[in-house]
Amino acid sequence: MKRRRDIVIIIASLTMLVLSIPALATDATPRLVLQITVDALRGDLPNRYYERLGENGFRYLWEKGTVYADAHHAHANTETIVGHTTLATGANPAVHGMIGNVWFDRTENRTMYNIEDARYQLLTAGAGVDQNAEIDSTQKAAKSDGRSPAAILVTTFGDELAINTAGRARVFGVSIKDRGAVSMAGHAGKAFWFSKASGEFVTSNYYFDAYPRWVIEWNERKLAASYSGKSWELLHKKSTYLFGNADDKPWETDLAGFGRTFPHPFGEAGSKYYTTLLTLSPAGDELTLDFAKALITNEKLGSDDVPDFLGVSFSSTDYVGHMFGPSSLETEDNLLRLDRTLADLFAFVDEQVGLENTLIVLSADHGGPEVPGYLNELGIHAGYVTPESWDKQPAFMALKKKFAIDKELISGYNHPYVYLNQEVIRKHKLDQREVELAVAEELLKFEGIAQAVASSALREARLPDTPLNQAILNNFNPNRSGDIYVVFEPHWFINDFDGLTVAATHGSPWRYDTFVPIAFAGMQIPARHIQRSVQTVDIAPTLAAFLKIKPPSGSTGVPLVEVFAGEEN
């Protein structure tokens, strides 16, 4: 009863707030909607280094915009495609369908990469995933280099903008990561991403039959090659950094001679991991910025009264966090450089379109965990998990005996789902629900596992109404989700990806992974900081309401009313 009464009070309060706020501070329609996603920007990180930020990057948003200080993703699997698509659609993965970076497709009988689509090939030959050099195990799972947004089950904000303007709005997505660009561009827009194999920004024939001339000219500049023989060096003196005395930690990843200490050498252009090392540094964001600026100019974004959309996803924060952790000298320097990159972008947009004509929103696809080694030094229990060993444990041997089978019960693990051996279940005429519950019960006995939820329990709504279970349910799509959802204990996660050991991995429902910033600026949006709890599904419907168009088809969020108020209430 108390929970119901609290909900009634909240609804009443929000109703009064909506009734009391004035109309938009301006009746003008934005000429450009700029949606910035910083991959893995945990909500506390800008504030952590705030005193050392410049005036026109994060500070522009934080001091001249509306900032939500308690914003979280509401789904459990906090991975890149999941968060990006949530930001774009205003829907949870249960609805938009992108339940993980990969999932097991029961029709194809194989693991699928989220945006792979063999029907739409890259326009650049040889620009697909280099299986010998790629360190992203999820991209290596794809059987085709083709890419499209077909697997996204609902519309995005960009789609709705195109629908509303009879296709006149120009809609684009740009990122180092293909999944970051494709999700932002939606179905009706056009996406470009960085190919580590070619060192160029590429796209597929879902979007174009041939590259626009300006893209060819940008790629001919060979900007990625300009870093050849150079290194990622500190922006300031080491003594000025919070983590200046922590430049060499045993848990940090040294990939291909990139090292654990500054300076980090990129090596020579053309070497095996050269372009990969660029993405593991601020250089990846710098390349993204340069391409985005060329796109704004050549596609004439914001040049007329029809609003355009540009989604830019900066990926370096995520890569740096994986390799070195969020509490590292590398992450600290990367964020200071990202601040400069944002200031450069805002200055360019101001020159080309005018910030007064641009609606900006910044958020993140997920947060990120601290490295177990760092937490252990502080006396906090944390560690790593190894799923490959689960089916070989004595408890599972006993389960096999119980069900009278001699083959493995678990056919695979694609985070965060365990997939059961359906062939064995059918052959022995076992009850799917019984097997799911039995396996889930055994998984809970392993170190590092906090929760194991059978999909049958999700289908039948037989779970206690807790925040954790709701987050798992928000992630559940019956056609794509696995048989058992596994939640690791806080600060426990997998750190081995096809032999590459990393420092930290996100993907949990814990607050450090769900916590992200949300900041709106431009268009005379009031300068204020909001402390109430909000969700990332609220961003897309807020953009739609601002432009007076319908929200995306699967959106479950609500407009953030403070963005629309001209004066502080």
Side-chain angles (χ1 to χ4, degrees):
M1 289 299 294
K2 181 181 184 298
R3 184 172 181 272
R4 181 178 298 176
R5 184 170 63 252
D6 289 344
I7 292 173
V8 171
I9 292 172
I10 291 170
I11 292 173
S13 300
L14 288 175
T15 301
M16 291 301 294
L17 177 59
V18 171
L19 292 175
S20 66
I21 63 174
L24 280 174
T26 174
D27 290 329
T29 299
R31 286 164 52 189
L32 175 65
V33 177
L34 176 60
Q35 183 166 8
I36 299 170
T37 305
V38 180
D39 203 318
L41 184 66
R42 200 173 64 200
D44 63 307
L45 292 178
N47 293 321
R48 193 182 206 180
Y49 307 112
Y50 197 80
E51 295 304 317
R52 304 185 59 220
L53 300 177
E55 294 298 321
N56 300 311
F58 282 111
R59 280 180 181 266
Y60 167 72
L61 301 173
W62 261 241
E63 296 176 9
K64 296 186 178 180
T66 297
V67 179
Y68 291 87
D70 187 18
H72 289 263
H73 285 288
H75 53 262
N77 185 22
T78 45
E79 290 188 314
T80 299
I81 189 61
V82 190
H84 273 82
T85 311
T86 296
L87 294 171
T89 64
N92 283 311
V95 175
H96 64 60
M98 308 303 267
I99 53 100
N101 282 341
V102 295
W103 59 81
F104 186 80
D105 187 298
R106 295 177 177 88
T107 303
E108 296 285 334
N109 195 36
R110 69 176 181 88
T111 297
M112 300 286 290
Y113 178 60
N114 52 86
I115 56 167
E116 70 169 290
D117 192 334
R119 298 172 297 173
Y120 301 105
Q121 295 303 303
L122 300 185
L123 295 185
T124 303
V129 174
D130 182 348
Q131 293 289 336
N132 294 320
E134 182 56 62
I135 64 172
D136 184 340
S137 60
T138 66
Q139 287 200 26
K140 291 170 72 173
K143 301 302 181 185
S144 166
D145 290 330
R147 299 289 185 266
S148 89
I152 300 175
L153 303 179
V154 296
T155 60
T156 64
F157 166 76
D159 292 336
E160 295 297 338
L161 185 61
I163 292 168
N164 183 263
T165 60
R168 294 170 62 203
R170 288 157 289 201
V171 177
F172 289 91
V174 175
S175 180
I176 287 291
K177 297 183 181 182
D178 53 7
R179 54 190 182 267
V182 169
S183 52
M184 288 284 105
H187 303 84
K190 299 182 186 301
F192 294 99
W193 56 93
F194 184 70
S195 163
K196 285 177 275 191
S198 69
E200 301 172 336
F201 274 85
V202 300
T203 191
S204 78
N205 60 13
Y206 174 88
Y207 304 101
F208 294 95
D209 294 326
Y211 284 113
R213 183 62 202 169
W214 71 265
V215 176
I216 295 173
E217 292 174 350
W218 191 94
N219 283 330
E220 287 176 343
R221 291 170 55 202
K222 303 294 182 184
L223 191 59
S226 68
Y227 293 87
S228 181
K230 298 180 181 178
S231 299
W232 172 16
E233 300 188 13
L234 286 173
L235 189 61
H236 305 293
K237 291 183 179 180
K238 184 182 288 189
S239 60
T240 66
Y241 288 80
L242 176 64
F243 290 98
N245 293 325
D247 192 22
D248 187 6
K249 291 295 184 179
W251 54 76
E252 295 178 333
T253 302
D254 176 8
L255 176 67
F258 199 49
R260 300 193 318 211
T261 62
F262 280 95
H264 294 282
F266 299 124
E268 299 298 322
S271 58
K272 181 177 180 180
Y273 290 105
Y274 173 75
T275 52
T276 296
L277 298 181
L278 295 182
T279 67
L280 304 185
S281 78
D285 287 346
E286 293 164 5
L287 291 170
T288 303
L289 169 65
D290 196 89
F291 188 86
K293 288 162 69 173
L295 190 155
I296 291 170
T297 300
N298 289 279
E299 295 294 340
K300 297 179 172 58
L301 298 192
S303 62
D304 56 30
D305 293 335
V306 178
D308 298 321
F309 173 83
L310 174 61
V312 181
S313 177
F314 292 110
S315 306
S316 293
T317 303
D318 179 71
Y319 286 129
V320 173
H322 279 298
M323 294 294 158
F324 303 99
S327 293
S328 66
L329 182 58
E330 284 78 8
T331 288
E332 184 175 357
D333 189 73
N334 175 71
L335 285 171
L336 297 180
R337 290 183 178 273
L338 172 63
D339 183 56
R340 291 190 173 192
T341 295
L342 292 175
D344 190 341
L345 176 60
F346 296 155
F348 185 81
V349 169
D350 193 26
E351 177 185 329
Q352 298 292 314
V353 183
L355 291 175
E356 72 278 8
N357 300 315
T358 305
L359 174 59
I360 302 173
V361 59
L362 179 143
S363 190
D365 55 343
H366 53 76
E370 296 292 346
V371 178
Y374 174 65
L375 295 179
N376 294 160
E377 285 187 342
L378 299 173
I380 300 170
H381 187 54
Y384 298 113
V385 180
T386 309
E388 290 77 8
S389 66
W390 290 343
D391 200 69
K392 300 177 177 61
Q393 298 299 315
F396 274 88
M397 301 305 292
L399 269 186
K400 293 176 186 179
K401 185 175 181 180
K402 172 185 176 180
F403 290 118
I405 61 175
D406 57 2
K407 293 188 176 181
E408 293 183 346
L409 268 174
I410 296 176
S411 65
Y413 177 81
N414 287 326
H415 185 79
Y417 293 103
V418 166
Y419 290 83
L420 298 178
N421 191 330
Q422 296 298 321
E423 182 181 347
V424 167
I425 291 174
R426 286 191 298 269
K427 179 181 178 180
H428 292 270
K429 297 180 180 180
L430 301 177
D431 180 84
Q432 173 78 22
R433 179 175 176 274
E434 183 183 359
V435 175
E436 286 181 8
L437 293 173
V439 171
E441 184 178 353
E442 291 304 322
L443 286 172
L444 284 173
K445 299 175 183 178
F446 293 159
E447 183 181 30
I449 295 182
Q451 181 76 296
V453 179
S455 287
S456 57
L458 295 170
R459 288 190 181 90
E460 298 165 12
R462 293 185 294 101
L463 291 171
D465 185 14
T466 66
L468 180 57
N469 285 337
Q470 185 59 56
I472 295 171
L473 190 60
N474 286 343
N475 216 92
F476 178 68
N477 181 284
N479 294 322
R480 294 177 179 173
S481 295
D483 299 305
I484 300 161
Y485 193 109
V486 176
V487 177
F488 301 133
E489 294 281 0
H491 312 301
W492 284 74
F493 45 80
I494 301 168
N495 76 323
D496 184 286
F497 296 94
D498 290 344
L500 175 66
T501 300
V502 298
T505 308
H506 51 84
S508 82
W510 305 117
R511 301 295 269 183
Y512 52 77
D513 273 345
T514 64
F515 184 29
V516 296
I518 295 179
F520 288 83
M523 297 299 297
Q524 298 184 36
I525 287 173
R528 60 177 67 177
H529 283 233
I530 307 300
Q531 300 302 321
R532 71 181 178 91
S533 179
V534 300
Q535 297 181 353
T536 53
V537 291
D538 299 332
I539 291 176
T542 300
L543 295 176
F546 203 100
L547 274 79
K548 301 180 178 64
I549 65 176
K550 73 180 191 296
S553 57
S555 173
T556 57
V558 296
L560 297 168
V561 294
E562 296 87 355
V563 172
F564 300 89
E567 301 293 339
E568 189 80 45
N569 290 319

